[in-house]
Amino acid sequence: FAGYISQVLKNYTDHACDGEYVSLRCPHRTTISIQSSFYGRIVPSHQMCPSRYPHSYATLIKEDVACSVGTSLQKMLDECQDRRSCQFLVNSRLFGTDPCPGTSKYLIVWYKCRPNEYKSKVACEDDKLRLSCKKSMVITIYSAIFGRTQGGSLECPYQNLGMPMIECQSATALQLMIKRCHGKRSCSIYASTYEFGDPCYPGIQKHLNVIYTCDSTPLLLPVDETQLPVLTSSMEPVGVSTEMALLSNILAAYAFIT
């Protein structure tokens, strides 16, 4: 269980060239949440996924470096979303019509590992947010947003003051919530600009939305741990060493979420 939070908060990245298998895996008690996907080619083959065609043949065709498939995200959602792991062979037939025949392509997938069970709490601006877990359980913060989201909040309806619906979010909300609440049985914080700063224009109403879980074992690693987590008997490996090298550290996950 050591390092569970650092694995959950990471922004995972994996890639595979045409003819290779892509394999996504998440830790125990989490499932895959696809964030983005790209299939095609936007860099020359000498930089990524060299062409499988003989050099003499490759010189006869002009390599397309502005080639992409619009169905890659939906295909990844169909294959992997909400699963513990998924694996499949990458080729153009998987994504429908080949947009650039004769050009070798590659797939890049960005994903997160979402807890199977989680709780969500919302506090309107200047209200106090309280999080608590049952006895012998502690808080694990998964995400935190302070600001104004495009969809708004049912708990905190916005007054129409003539302001356009502009999305704005604090860049430090997740770090602050982890510092204040992570690993504790209960905690409280005001959803105020004093705590989080003001990421929006003056007069825009904001709210704090936190997603968290209650876990029975305290986490042993600091949340800013940049080393790969140490596996224990209660954890399962995420993947082989080549896949682990593709994982970004927790600081990159912070930036991605915000």
Side-chain angles (χ1 to χ4, degrees):
F1 197 64
Y4 174 80
I5 185 63
S6 64
Q7 292 191 50
V8 168
L9 290 178
K10 283 182 188 296
N11 174 31
Y12 290 70
T13 307
D14 205 350
H15 83 281
C17 309
D18 274 344
E20 297 178 348
Y21 281 92
V22 66
S23 181
L24 311 185
R25 295 183 178 88
C26 278
H28 183 55
R29 295 196 300 161
T30 67
T31 54
I32 296 169
S33 176
I34 300 295
Q35 305 296 304
S36 186
S37 174
F38 171 84
Y39 177 72
R41 176 170 292 281
I42 55 175
V43 296
S45 58
H46 69 269
Q47 294 183 11
M48 187 173 186
C49 293
S51 174
R52 295 180 296 149
Y53 299 112
H55 180 70
S56 59
Y57 174 77
T59 58
L60 297 177
I61 62 173
K62 181 176 176 59
E63 186 175 57
D64 190 343
V65 292
C67 169
S68 64
V69 175
T71 59
S72 63
L73 176 58
Q74 186 58 52
K75 186 60 179 177
M76 291 305 304
L77 291 171
D78 294 342
E79 294 287 339
C80 301
Q81 184 76 356
D82 296 329
R83 299 184 181 182
R84 171 81 188 285
S85 65
C86 66
Q87 180 175 334
F88 56 88
L89 183 67
V90 175
N91 60 65
S92 59
R93 293 186 299 274
L94 187 69
F95 299 96
T97 305
D98 191 340
C100 46
T103 296
S104 62
K105 294 166 281 293
Y106 51 84
L107 173 69
I108 306 177
V109 184
W110 295 267
Y111 67 102
K112 289 178 59 62
C113 293
R114 181 172 54 198
N116 293 336
E117 298 180 5
Y118 57 88
K119 302 178 181 181
S120 177
K121 272 206 169 184
V122 175
C124 305
E125 187 171 4
D126 295 327
D127 289 345
K128 180 182 285 188
L129 179 76
R130 295 181 176 87
L131 305 181
S132 62
C133 293
K134 296 179 180 179
K135 189 176 181 180
S136 76
M137 303 189 81
V138 295
I139 297 167
T140 297
I141 301 294
Y142 176 66
S143 70
I145 295 174
F146 177 75
R148 182 171 182 168
T149 55
Q150 196 69 30
S153 169
L154 294 177
E155 295 88 346
C156 308
Y158 297 127
Q159 298 177 6
N160 188 358
L161 302 177
M163 299 292 292
M165 280 298 297
I166 299 176
E167 186 169 307
C168 47
Q169 299 178 19
S170 168
T172 59
L174 179 60
Q175 295 96 316
L176 181 58
M177 287 304 305
I178 288 177
K179 182 178 180 181
R180 190 68 63 88
C181 300
H182 175 72
K184 298 180 180 179
R185 184 184 169 192
S186 63
C187 67
S188 61
I189 189 171
Y190 279 98
S192 67
T193 56
Y194 176 79
E195 295 281 6
F196 296 94
D198 195 343
C200 307
Y201 290 111
I204 293 181
Q205 297 168 298
K206 295 165 284 291
H207 67 272
L208 174 63
N209 185 6
V210 178
I211 296 177
Y212 68 104
T213 62
C214 289
D215 293 306
S216 58
T217 307
L219 302 172
L220 304 179
L221 292 183
V223 294
D224 60 350
E225 180 65 65
T226 57
Q227 301 297 321
L228 291 174
V230 178
L231 295 179
T232 67
S233 59
S234 58
M235 290 178 59
E236 296 184 23
V238 176
V240 296
S241 58
T242 55
E243 293 171 323
M244 296 292 276
L246 295 172
L247 305 182
S248 60
N249 60 36
I250 196 169
L251 298 179
Y254 288 158
F256 180 86
I257 294 173
T258 55

